[in-house]
Amino acid sequence: MAWRNSGRVKVMNRRSSRMAVMAAAVLAVCSFAAVTMAQLEMDFYSKTCPNVEEIVRREMEEILRVAPTLAGPLLRLHFHDCFVRGCDASVLIDSTAGNVAEKDAKPNLTLRGFGAVQRVKDKLNAACPATVSCADVLALMARDAVVLANGPSWPVSLGRRDGRLSIANDTNQLPPPTANFTQLSQMFAAKGLDAKDLVVLSGGHTLGTAHCALFSDRLYNFTGLVNDGDVDPALDAAYMAKLKAKCRSLSDNTTLSEMDPGSFLTFDASYYRLVAKRRGIFHSDSALLTDPVTRAYVERQATGHFADDFFRDFADSMVKMSTIDVLTGAQGEIRNKCYAINI
């Protein structure tokens, strides 16, 4: 018994050491983010483009009036930008003969909203030539997309600069929809985001649709057998039947399914009720039920009594995410066209 207790102490010590190392790493990233945040300013364009937020909001109102389904994709576009090379608008850059850019990497092939971003950028260029970065445009558009979908608002500090690099292989930093909780938490921690940010930002899945190819492995090929019976046991059986009725095969790359059925155009907390019922569309949604911290958050929000808390939490997490590894000062550039670096 004494020997077994000694072993347990050693294991606990090793676990404590690993946890201390992870905590130190997250603290270091968060400290860097705090310094970065200080370099951004709420009134950054007060003299050079004082109506920047008004111009963006006005254009966003018109964009979503005509195409309300773009709210979710614009939020997703900002997320995919910030998780790769930081919030530097690198996700917007087109590929060239000598380089495959982020937007043409597999995780980004279903992204939408590029034309809308350039439309807003053109309006700003007309009012304030070569002044507002594409990175700031995307951050403002993502915020306004949520607000105009009846979601929360948050302050967007400005002064981001645009990156000059966009490399497809860098998208391996994006959390995939197939990720388990350990993978998700590690990828979020690498960006200075914790478990609460993970479960809160996942709530963004209340907006938009998903291509069948992003989750059809749960329906037909969960363990590699490629047949109708090879399904993800973590997915509610009735919901699975509905998804199979839409997504007829593993190779369906075109059909879309609402991520929050019946509410995919409105930002609300109904996503958590779905996840609690094992009806989250992605494996990464189901993964939130495998950790005590994120599970508790899901179950609390699933009661329907704490949506205000979710709105506040989402705003706080978006402020954190939108400052990941930003370029400021003389770094990067202010792109004229968001899809191409300046020559």
Side-chain angles (χ1 to χ4, degrees):
M1 178 64 72
W3 178 84
R4 276 194 271 185
N5 284 341
S6 174
R8 278 167 52 190
V9 169
K10 289 180 180 178
V11 169
M12 290 176 66
N13 285 340
R14 286 198 298 271
R15 287 177 178 169
S16 298
S17 297
R18 285 199 299 269
M19 290 176 67
V21 170
M22 288 183 66
V26 171
L27 181 60
V29 175
C30 289
S31 298
F32 177 78
V35 171
T36 298
M37 186 68 176
Q39 295 174 333
L40 300 176
E41 302 172 20
M42 290 299 302
D43 60 349
F44 184 82
Y45 297 110
S46 61
K47 294 181 179 179
T48 57
C49 196
N51 296 323
V52 56
E53 295 202 38
E54 179 184 338
I55 294 171
V56 173
R57 176 62 64 88
R58 189 164 58 243
E59 286 302 302
M60 281 295 294
E61 288 172 349
E62 181 61 19
I63 288 168
L64 294 183
R65 184 188 67 80
V66 176
T69 59
L70 272 182
L74 287 170
L75 176 61
R76 184 183 177 214
L77 198 56
H78 184 41
F79 179 91
H80 279 232
D81 180 43
C82 290
F83 260 72
V84 181
R85 307 189 72 86
C87 308
D88 68 344
S90 56
V91 73
L92 305 177
I93 297 174
D94 284 346
S95 294
T96 63
N99 178 65
V100 180
E102 293 170 30
K103 66 162 58 173
D104 290 318
K106 186 176 180 180
N108 289 338
L109 292 178
T110 57
L111 291 179
R112 297 167 53 212
F114 297 102
V117 176
Q118 188 56 48
R119 167 179 168 167
V120 174
K121 172 65 172 175
D122 288 342
K123 282 287 184 179
L124 288 167
N125 275 347
C128 322
T131 300
V132 182
S133 69
C134 297
D136 277 345
V137 170
L138 189 50
L140 289 169
M141 290 180 72
R143 190 268 310 275
D144 289 354
V146 171
V147 171
L148 293 171
N150 297 324
S153 183
W154 57 89
V156 178
S157 295
L158 302 169
R160 296 167 189 77
R161 303 272 290 181
D162 297 325
R164 291 180 55 83
L165 290 175
S166 183
I167 302 170
N169 287 342
D170 287 345
T171 58
N172 60 9
Q173 300 172 59
L174 286 168
T178 56
N180 60 35
F181 181 79
T182 299
Q183 293 168 323
L184 291 170
S185 59
Q186 289 174 346
M187 297 181 91
F188 271 67
K191 304 300 176 182
L193 302 172
D194 57 24
K196 183 175 182 181
D197 296 313
L198 166 57
V199 68
V200 168
L201 291 174
S202 294
H205 290 170
T206 186
L207 286 178
T209 57
H211 284 77
C212 289
L214 296 177
F215 59 86
S216 58
D217 64 306
R218 305 185 76 191
L219 312 178
Y220 301 106
N221 189 36
F222 191 63
T223 64
L225 298 179
V226 195
N227 62 54
D228 285 354
D230 192 14
V231 300
D232 184 353
L235 195 58
D236 173 73
Y239 184 51
M240 183 183 300
K242 290 181 179 180
L243 291 176
K244 280 191 169 186
K246 276 193 171 184
C247 306
R248 297 288 186 172
S249 72
L250 190 63
S251 59
D252 187 341
N253 292 318
T254 57
T255 306
L256 293 171
S257 181
E258 297 173 8
M259 291 190 288
D260 188 353
S263 182
F264 78 108
L265 295 179
T266 303
F267 191 97
D268 53 33
S270 59
Y271 161 82
Y272 295 105
R273 290 194 289 276
L274 292 173
V275 174
K277 293 177 180 178
R278 300 191 299 121
R279 295 187 174 190
I281 201 166
F282 300 126
H283 182 72
S284 58
D285 295 323
S286 297
L288 299 177
L289 296 177
T290 64
D291 174 78
V293 172
T294 54
R295 183 186 184 98
Y297 192 93
V298 168
E299 292 176 342
R300 185 171 189 267
Q301 285 299 325
T303 65
H305 300 309
F306 303 99
D308 288 346
D309 290 347
F310 166 54
F311 275 33
R312 283 192 294 269
D313 292 340
F314 191 83
D316 290 343
S317 290
M318 285 300 296
V319 169
K320 289 175 66 175
M321 191 198 78
S322 67
T323 61
I324 294 173
D325 295 340
V326 297
L327 303 176
T328 58
Q331 298 173 312
E333 64 183 14
I334 304 297
R335 272 183 238 140
N336 182 45
K337 297 295 184 181
C338 292
Y339 52 79
I341 60 174
N342 298 337
I343 298 175

